[in-house]
Amino acid sequence: MDDLRIGFGEDAHRLAPGRPLTLGGVVVPGAERGAIAHSDGDALLHAVADALLSAWALGDIGQHFPDTDAAHAGLDSRAIVARARTLIAERAPDARLAQVSAVVTLDRPKLGPHRSTVAATLAGLLDLPVDRVGLTFKTSEGLAPDHVQARATVLWRAPVG
Ligand SMILES: [Zn+2]
């Protein structure tokens, strides 16, 4: 029996015109607004990275990538996920990521047409088969039209020992 660990992460950014909207490492086509952020503002990757770290009680991305550090300005969030994975590999070299399940809440544009692209990109980034990447796209029903929000859970397996 493997040791199982789950992690949960959440992230949100305000949206403003004239910026690309990046989610899961994909620049969303046709987005009129993008995230206001110190990094590239990829709420989905930020939620995933926090979930990855949380499963191993390794803190959060705010701790590992302080937004007061000028070196992180405009940071590609794929590097945040890669760093999280490195930290976990140091802690638990035999651990295997088994699954990720995420919810993205965004009013516009509709993300459904981009599901397969985002899922494939996220799967590639996490070394997972695409059928282990579950993506749910929601709108806020007008409650938070100026925000993008993401929540993610991950499951890890590691040999007991
Ligand atoms: Zn963020």
Side-chain angles (χ1 to χ4, degrees):
M1 178 66 184
D2 284 347
D3 185 19
L4 301 178
R5 286 173 178 249
I6 61 165
F8 177 68
E10 179 178 281
D11 197 64
H13 288 278
R14 281 195 299 131
L15 299 170
R19 300 162 175 272
L21 178 64
T22 307
L23 286 171
V26 174
V27 176
V28 178
E32 295 167 357
R33 299 184 298 170
I36 300 172
H38 192 64
S39 67
D40 64 7
D42 191 324
L44 177 52
L45 290 191
H46 295 175
V48 167
D50 271 341
L52 294 170
L53 291 168
S54 176
W56 296 93
L58 285 169
D60 58 45
I61 60 172
Q63 172 188 344
H64 298 291
F65 292 88
D67 64 9
T68 51
D69 187 336
H72 301 150
L75 185 66
D76 182 334
S77 294
R78 290 175 294 189
I80 294 177
V81 173
R83 175 71 181 139
R85 297 209 66 182
T86 299
L87 290 167
I88 293 159
E90 290 168 4
R91 165 73 63 89
D94 296 330
R96 285 184 303 116
L97 182 62
Q99 193 178 344
V100 59
S101 181
V103 180
V104 179
T105 303
L106 179 70
D107 282 8
R108 286 189 305 125
K110 289 283 192 289
L111 294 173
H114 311 298
R115 184 188 312 276
S116 59
T117 306
V118 175
T121 303
L122 193 53
L125 201 55
L126 298 173
D127 301 315
L128 280 174
V130 76
D131 71 350
R132 287 179 176 267
V133 177
L135 292 177
T136 302
F137 296 139
K138 309 287 285 185
T139 75
S140 78
E141 298 281 353
L143 291 172
D146 301 320
H147 290 78
V148 58
Q149 187 163 32
R151 301 173 179 89
T153 55
V154 298
L155 175 67
W156 289 89
R157 315 179 69 106
V160 175

